[in-house]
Amino acid sequence: MRGINRDILLPAIATIINVVPFAMLTPLVVVRLSETGAPATMVAAYGMAPFMAILAVSPFTSRLLSGLGLYKAQLAGLTFAAFGLIATARLLAIGSELLIVYLVLAFLLGSASALTWTSTEALIASRTQADRLGQATALYQTGLGVAFAIGPFLPVLVSPDAAPVLLMTTGLMAAAITVRLLAPHPDTQPSSLAAPTGLEWTTLPLYGAILTAALVGGVFEVGLNSAFPYIALQAGLPSSAAVALVGAIAIGALAAQPPVGWLADSGRTKAATGASLASILLGVCALGVAVRFPELMWVAAFLIGAGGGALYTLAMIQVARSRERSPVAALTSLAVAAYTLGAVVGPFAAGLVIDIAGLLALCAGLILLPVLVFATNLSRIHQTEREL
């Protein structure tokens, strides 16, 4: 594909392969812990542990990328991820119920994922041709979405037994590292990776717009995954439909990627941002009406997933386009951390608002988030016009 060379494509494929066992093992461990009578709080802690680790290491990620270089950093992340994933699969194979060990491995996986995902995003941002940034970023995000969707189904399709799961995990990580080693290793421009010594006032609107879009994208693409099933059950939908709504969010995010990439490469980033915000607003409105018409939950899930997934992709495209003015590694790690923060805070905040004030109050609060994205983008545009 023109504009996407092997030195970008192969590391991206390696990261996508790595996500499959990550997505496969998490629900298996949750089920194992639940069956052994672990408290719900501790089971939830396991699910959050990798994302908390990503946030914990985010202040150091850009310096690690700068010191190691993008290719070595990604290989290091994949290596540590392989150890954590294979060890987790091995624990499942021997029937271990040691929650603390699972938690330690989950933190290791989160730290490795921060290194792997951030280096891959920074690689795409720093080395993709300018006229293919939208296409490359959207294609990569689509691959990640597919990997997260495929992972949980693999044990069902192949075998839920622990031994095949261990074999699949080992084989997938071996494939990921092999694909990564096949990639060329051109020197990365030091200027595009250097960690910032401080933020200049002129860069604040740019950083604010990117990080706000990433944060809001994380809230709507991932952060509402636990809220939707709960709301669906309260609205009267069966449990099977409540669980499937999470898949509808993922499908919406996947469906949004091709048009977002095309619009961005066609110079219509503002239109893509406006469409993303409109999708979220319509989805939130449908969610509010779903109390009386539960069938609208499907529409709400699709639109919210599409808007959230598109916003994060647009944030990463803006990271790539600012590479001449801003350090790519630092800005990428900040964007990943912002997205992760939205994914972590979203479920807790949504549940808290529902318990205290109800669904309509949640919808009112959610409407404020796309308005915040619009305001930060407006501030950035105004700053750019003043500089001109």
Side-chain angles (χ1 to χ4, degrees):
M1 188 178 297
R2 188 170 67 89
I4 306 179
N5 300 322
R6 289 177 68 248
D7 60 332
I8 302 171
L9 185 61
L10 292 181
I13 292 174
T15 300
I16 290 169
I17 295 173
N18 167 224
V19 167
V20 176
F22 181 92
M24 174 178 68
L25 292 179
T26 299
L28 291 178
V29 174
V30 168
V31 170
R32 169 64 59 81
L33 295 176
S34 300
E35 289 176 344
T36 58
T41 304
M42 297 308 296
V43 174
Y46 175 80
M48 291 179 61
F51 302 102
M52 296 301 295
I54 292 174
L55 290 176
V57 303
S58 60
F60 316 104
T61 305
S62 64
R63 297 191 181 277
L64 286 173
L65 297 187
S66 300
L68 295 174
L70 296 183
Y71 292 94
K72 290 181 181 178
Q74 192 203 25
L75 181 59
L78 287 173
T79 302
F80 282 112
F83 174 80
L85 289 167
I86 293 173
T88 300
R90 177 60 180 164
L91 287 177
L92 288 171
I94 63 176
S96 174
E97 301 176 4
L98 296 175
L99 175 61
I100 186 64
V101 181
Y102 283 117
L103 284 173
V104 169
L105 290 174
F107 271 98
L108 174 63
L109 285 174
S111 302
S113 297
L115 204 57
T116 304
W117 297 348
T118 304
S119 60
T120 306
E121 300 264 18
L123 183 63
I124 294 171
S126 61
R127 300 196 63 86
T128 305
Q129 293 180 11
D131 62 343
R132 288 292 181 269
L133 283 172
Q135 175 183 280
T137 305
L139 186 61
Y140 173 66
Q141 297 299 330
T142 300
L144 288 181
V146 171
F148 273 112
I150 289 176
F153 286 102
L154 273 183
V156 178
L157 297 175
V158 180
S159 173
D161 296 334
V165 167
L166 175 58
L167 186 61
M168 284 189 289
T169 301
T170 304
L172 286 166
M173 289 311 302
I177 293 175
T178 300
V179 170
R180 161 59 190 77
L181 291 174
L182 292 175
H185 298 173
D187 293 332
T188 308
Q189 297 177 357
S191 61
S192 69
L193 295 177
T197 56
L199 292 180
E200 300 178 2
W201 286 108
T202 55
T203 65
L204 288 179
L206 171 67
Y207 276 60
I210 291 174
L211 298 184
T212 302
L215 173 70
V216 175
V219 170
F220 285 104
E221 186 181 8
V222 181
L224 296 181
N225 281 358
S226 60
F228 259 88
Y230 178 85
I231 296 170
L233 291 174
Q234 297 302 310
L237 290 178
S239 57
S240 58
V243 174
L245 280 169
V246 177
I249 297 175
I251 291 172
L254 287 175
Q257 300 307 316
V260 164
W262 178 77
L263 286 171
D265 285 338
S266 300
R268 298 183 227 179
T269 304
K270 292 180 183 177
T273 303
S276 303
L277 299 180
S279 180
I280 290 175
L281 289 172
L282 289 173
V284 172
C285 291
L287 183 62
V289 180
V291 175
R292 293 184 176 274
F293 304 97
E295 295 77 12
L296 286 177
M297 288 289 295
W298 297 98
V299 177
F302 181 87
L303 290 175
I304 283 176
L311 272 185
Y312 179 65
T313 300
L314 286 168
M316 298 314 301
I317 291 172
Q318 290 303 311
V319 168
R321 287 182 173 167
S322 66
R323 60 193 179 192
E324 300 300 327
R325 293 182 291 162
S326 303
V328 169
L331 193 48
T332 302
S333 63
L334 286 173
V336 171
Y339 177 85
T340 305
L341 180 63
V344 170
V345 173
F348 175 78
L352 185 64
V353 172
I354 290 175
D355 284 342
I356 294 176
L359 175 60
L360 292 181
L362 173 64
C363 293
L366 291 175
I367 286 177
L368 295 177
L369 294 179
V371 173
L372 180 62
V373 174
F374 176 78
T376 55
N377 273 274
L378 197 63
S379 172
R380 179 175 65 86
I381 292 170
H382 177 66
Q383 178 68 29
T384 301
E385 290 174 347
R386 287 180 58 189
E387 291 174 359
L388 294 175

